[in-house]
Amino acid sequence: MSTWEVVIGLETHAQLNTKSKIFSGSSIAFGAEPNTQANVVDIALPGVLPVLNKEAVQCAIRFGLAVNAEIASRSVFARKNYFYPDLPKGYQISQYELPVVGKGALTIQVGDSEKTINITRAHLEEDAGKSVHGASPGQSGIDLNRAGTPLLEIVTEPDMRSAAEAVAYARKLHELVQWINICDGNMQEGSFRCDVNVSVRRKGDEKLGTRREIKNLNSFRFMQQAIEYETRWQIETLEDGGKIEQATVLFNPDTGETRAMRSKEEANDYRYFPDPDLLPVAISAEDIDAIRVTLPELPSAMKVRFEREYGLSAYDAAALTASRGIADYFTAALVAFGGEAKLVANWVMGNVSAKLNEESREIADAPVSPELLAGLLKRIADNTVSSKIAKDVFEAMWSGEGDADAIIERKGLKQVTDTGAIEAIVDEVLAANAAMVAEFRAGKDKAFNALVGQAMKASKGKANPAQVNEILKRKLAG
Amino acid sequence: MSLNTNDVKRIAHLARLAVSEEEAEATLVKLSGILGLIEEMQAVDTTGIAPMSHSQDVTQRLREDKVTESNQRELLQSIAPAVENGLYLVPQVIE
Amino acid sequence: MINHSLKHLAGMLAGKEISSVELTQEYLNRIARFNPEINAYITVDPELSLAQARAADQRLANGDAGPLTGIPIAQKDIFCAKGWKTTCGSKMLETFIAPYDAGVIERFNAAGAVSLGKTNMDEFAMGSSNETSYYGKVQNPWDRTRVPGGSSGGSAAAVAARLCAAATGTDTGGSIRQPASLCGLSGLKPTYGLASRYGMIAFASSLDQAGPMAHSCEDMALMMNVMTGFDERDSTSLQREKEDYTRDLGKPLAGLRVGLPKEYFAEGLDTGVAKVVEAAVEEYRKLGAEIVEVSLPNTMLSIPVYYVLAPAEASSNLSRYDGVRFGHRAAEYDDLMDMYCKSRAEGFGAEVKRRILIGTYVLSAGYYDAYYLKAQQIRRLIAEDFARAFEQCDLILGPTAPSTAFKAGEKADDPVSMYLQDIYTIAVNLAGLPGMSIPAGFATVADGTALPVGLQVIGNYFDEARMLNAGHAYQQVTDWHTRMPEGIA
C-alpha cells in the first residue's frame, strides 16, 4: 500500500446566487412544482434564443478575484452536444476554450501544514433538468425547473494526494463561495456538488494513472468515503494484475462502494463549438475593479489581520476565519465586548462551537447572539463571575433565559469578592479539614488544591478563586 | 477523407438517427460527394488567420438578473407527446 | 387590386375605398382557387386572418393606422406565430402549434398587418427548390413544371401568383434571393442582426436572417421598416437607431460606383442569365452609375465553407427535436435510445438528415480543426474579399442564381449540383452583408419557356437604404417587376 500514491483533482459545480436563470428570465427558486419554472427558452422550443444573465458573469468574476485568478477580457460560450432527456436543447451551453476565470489558487490547511491547490479554470454553464424515476412503470419523468440554472464549474489541477486533502479543499471552497456570496452552499439541494477524479500511481512515477471520475458527491463525508474506497479498489485492481479503465462512477452511500455508471456515453464525443447564438463576453479592467471593491475581506486576508491586530495564534485565526458566519460572529462579539480578543476567541471556538456541534446548528442560528455573549464576557472581565460560573450563565442564555446580567442577578451568581466573607469561609474549611492541613504542612502541595476546592464548594462556586487562593495561602503560612 | 458505411452508422448514432443498412449505403454515396466538395478547403493556407464566428465585431449584451417569467406549464405541455403530473414522460432513464 | 403596390393599397384602405376584410377576403379567395395546385401555403386559417383584418379596419377607423395596417401578407412557416401551426416544412413539427410569437411576427402584428397564412418551404430551410418540404412541392407560377427555388419557395410563389401582397422569407445561403430570382420578384436579405431571430426556427444561427419578398423595392422598404429593429431576446440582434428604409427612394444614381465581380461572370453561369444581367448593368450605366470591375477571389470557396458551417450549426440546432417536449415521437420504440433514433429518423426528411450527418461528422472528435475551424478561417478571407471590393465600389451587381428555374425533380437526387445553385448568394451570408435580388428580365430556355432572371445587388453593412434606392431607380425605368405569370388572373 505504501508504494502507491493517489492523485486527486476536483470539478465542483457551484450554483450561483442569482434570481433568474443564466439564459432566461425564469426563477431558479428551489422546490417549485415540476416544470412551473421552465419557460419557452428553458424547454428549448423551436426558435428560442439565450441571453446571458449579468449577475452570473459577475459571480464568476467575484470568484476569480477571490482565488487570485486571471479574468479573461474576452470569453466565449460553447455548445457541448449530447442527448439526454433532461437536456432540452440536446446541448449544454458551457465554456470550453475561453472560460471567464483562468488559473488561480486556493490554500488549504491540512493538519498543521498549509498546501496550495492550483485552480485550472472556472467556467459558467447551465444546469440540466432532473429525471424523476418511478413516475410510471418503465418511465421516467422529466422536470426542467432546474434546466438553465447558472453554475460555476471550478476545476483544479490534480494536486491533492489524499482523501483528507480533497475534503479540506472542498470544505475550503465551500466556505469561500458562501463567503463571497456567490453560492448558498446548500449541499442537500444540490447547490454545491463535487466530481472527484481519482487515479493511483507508484510513488515516484511521473506519469498519471488512468482516472475514474466519481460523480455528484453532495456531502463531505461521502466524499471522504468514496475516495478512500475508490483508492483501495484501484490499488487492489492493479496489484491483482488488472487494468483501470477510464470511467464515470457513482458512490453508493448504503454500501460505501463506487460502481461504474451503466449508461456509458459512447466515447463522449461532445462536438464542442462556439455557440453562434451568443457573442463573446467582454470584461474590462474597469468592470473588474468595480466588482473588486464590492468584495468582502477574504478569509486569507482576515486571518493575517486577526494575527496581527489581535495577537491571535495562526491556529485561532484560521479557526475564526473558517467560515464567514464564525468570522462575523467573532467580530461582532469583539466589538460589543471591547476587551481582550483572546477571551472572545476562546469562547467562540470553545463553548459556542461546542454547543453548535452538539445541536448541529449553524452559527447564524445560535440562540446566544454575539451581543449576548459580549455581555457575559464583560462580567468575566470585571470579575463579577468566575469562568466556571460563566459557563452556567452561558447555558442559561443558550436556553433563552435572558441576558447575562439578568441571569446573574436572578440566580444570585455574583462572585463573592468581600474579603471578610471569604475569610470566614476559609476559616470554616480549615477547621473542618484538619487532616488536609496536616498533609499540606507535611509537604504535600496537592492538599492545597483540595482545600481551594473545598472553599469554592462551600461558596457554591461564587467566591473569587484568586482571592480564595491568596487568603488560604496567607492563613496556612500564618 | 473517405467514409465507409460503418462511419455513417457511427455518425448517425451520435446524431440519434436510425439508419437501415440500405439507407447507410445510399447515404454514404451522397455524403462522400458532399465531403468531396468540402475537401476543396484543404488547399487553402489559413495559417495565422483568426476564425470568424460572427459577422459583426460586437460583444455579448448582458441581461439584468430579473425574474420575468411566470408559470406556463399548461400551455407548454399541451403540445407535448407525453406528460403525467406535470412531468414530461420518457422511457426509463438508466444511470 | 392584386397588382397594386403596398403604398397604393394603404392609400385605398386609408381612403375607405376598400376595407382590410374585403382585401383579405380577395386574397383568401385567390388562395382557395390557386393554392391547391401551386401549394404555396402550408397553413391557411381564414378565421384568424379575418379577425386580424377586422382589428385592422378598427385601427383604420380610429386613425391609428401605419403603412402596413390592414395589408394581407404571408409568413414563411419558419416563424413561430402564436396559435398557428408552425411546421418549418417538416413532419417533425406537423402537430406543433406555436405557443409564442416570433419577434418578426410581433412587429407585423403591432403594425396591424394581416397574416394570410404560413408559406411552404424546404424542410428546416434546407434546400434550393422547395422539394424537401414534407408538405409537398411548390409550383413556380411561371412554369408549373418548374421549382420556385428555395428555401422560401412558398413565399416566392405566393407573391408571384398574387396570393398575398408581400411575404416574409429567411435567407441562410440564398433562401430569399434565389427564389425571388426564379419567381421574378424582389427579395432582400438584410445585414445580419437587423431582423430579430427570436422565434425564427434556427437552421444555421450565424447565417440566418429574415427579410422581405415583394414585387418592388418600394414595397420591400415598407416591409423592412416594420420587420427590422432591435430585439433584446436575440443576443445577436444589433442595437442601432431605427432607420427609415424609404428615405433614399428617388435619389439619383449619378456617381454611384457599381462593382462587377469577375468571378460572378465566369464559368458556370448560364449564358441566357448572363445576357440579362449584362443588360441590367447597362441600364445602371445609363442611370449614371460608374461601372468598375472588382474581384472576390474566394467565391468558389464559399460553397465548401458554407457546407461545413451551416450543417455544423444545424446538427446542433436540430438536436432539440427529440420527441420529448414537443414534435414528432415515434409510435413504437423499445427504450429511450430507440425512441430518439426512431422519432428523429421518422420526423426528418432525407436532406435534413444528410445535413445533420455532415454537421455531426465535421464537429466530431479529430475533425474540428480540419473542417470547422478551417471553414471559419476561410470565412474571414471571404469577408475580407468584400471589404476590399467595397473600397472600390458602393454596390456590387451580379447574377443571383447561375440559371433560371429548373424542372422539378431535375436536381432532387443530386445534392452537390443543388448546392451549386447558391454559388453567388452564400458568400453574402458568410460575410453577414445585405444582399438583394430584383427582377431583371427573362431568359428563354431550351423548351422555349421564358423564365425570370434576377439581378443580385450586394451592399456594404447597413447599406440597405442605398440598395433599395438603386433597385427602385432601376424599377422606375424597367417594368420587369410588374410582369405577371399567365394563368393566375
Side-chain angles (χ1 to χ4, degrees), chain B:
Chain B
M1 168 51 60
S2 66
L3 285 182
N4 59 40
T5 47
N6 280 336
D7 295 325
V8 173
K9 286 188 224 163
R10 180 180 57 81
I11 302 162
H13 182 70
L14 205 50
R16 300 293 184 268
L17 290 169
V19 280
S20 66
E21 199 66 40
E22 304 83 74
E23 283 171 324
E25 294 281 348
T27 304
L28 176 63
V29 176
K30 297 226 162 78
L31 291 194
S32 299
I34 299 166
L35 288 173
L37 190 71
I38 291 172
E39 280 307 307
E40 290 169 23
M41 292 195 312
Q42 305 308 334
V44 185
D45 180 8
T46 51
T47 316
I49 297 168
M52 177 174 163
S53 305
H54 294 278
S55 55
Q56 302 287 325
D57 189 19
V58 284
T59 55
Q60 179 65 34
R61 182 165 29 82
L62 301 176
R63 180 175 61 77
E64 288 303 318
D65 180 28
K66 271 191 271 184
V67 175
T68 54
E69 302 295 310
S70 51
N71 176 19
Q72 288 194 77
R73 185 172 80 181
E74 202 177 326
L75 172 66
L76 299 184
Q77 293 198 335
S78 68
I79 50 170
V83 286
E84 189 179 282
N85 299 326
L87 296 164
Y88 294 100
L89 283 190
V90 296
Q92 181 102 54
V93 176
I94 299 161
E95 281 183 340

Side-chain angles (χ1 to χ4, degrees), chain A residues 58 62 65 179-181 287-297 324:
Chain A
Q58 295 192 335
R62 285 170 81 82
L65 292 171
W179 189 288
I180 59 174
N181 195 27
D287 295 337
I288 296 171
D289 287 343
I291 291 168
R292 198 192 308 273
V293 300
T294 68
L295 270 188
E297 183 181 22
R324 182 87 180 261

Side-chain angles (χ1 to χ4, degrees), chain A residues 439-450:
Chain A
E439 277 180 33
F440 176 77
R441 294 219 160 106
K444 281 194 176 171
D445 288 347
K446 260 182 163 177
F448 182 79
N449 290 340

Side-chain angles (χ1 to χ4, degrees), chain C residues 7 10 75 77 80 82 89 122 155 170 199 223 308 326 353 368 378 383 397 401 414 421 442 455:
Chain C
K7 197 172 162 186
Q75 302 289 1
D77 204 19
C80 287
K82 193 169 181 173
D122 278 301
S155 287
T170 62
M223 292 279 281
V308 170
F326 53 82
K353 284 191 256 190
Y368 180 83
I378 302 177
L397 296 188
D414 182 1
Q421 271 292 306
F442 291 82
L455 171 74

Side-chain angles (χ1 to χ4, degrees), chain C residues 252-334:
Chain C
L253 298 192
L256 184 77
R257 294 174 305 161
V258 166
L260 302 181
K262 58 181 183 198
E263 294 79 6
Y264 282 31
F265 295 88
E267 199 194 324
L269 178 63
D270 180 277
T271 51
V273 173
K275 264 187 211 161
V276 170
V277 172
E278 280 156 16
V281 170
E282 196 47 41
E283 203 64 55
Y284 273 94
R285 196 192 303 274
K286 283 188 215 158
L287 285 165
E290 178 195 330
I291 312 294
V292 295
E293 189 188 87
V294 295
S295 176
L296 300 170
N298 291 298
T299 297
M300 279 310 290
L301 285 167
S302 61
I303 297 227
V305 166
Y306 178 85
Y307 280 97
V308 170
L309 298 182
E313 292 182 13
S315 69
S316 178
N317 283 334
L318 269 58
S319 291
R320 69 189 58 200
Y321 305 99
D322 59 3
V324 175
R325 300 162 314 284
F326 53 82
H328 179 74
R329 179 187 284 202
E332 282 173 33
Y333 40 82
D334 302 331

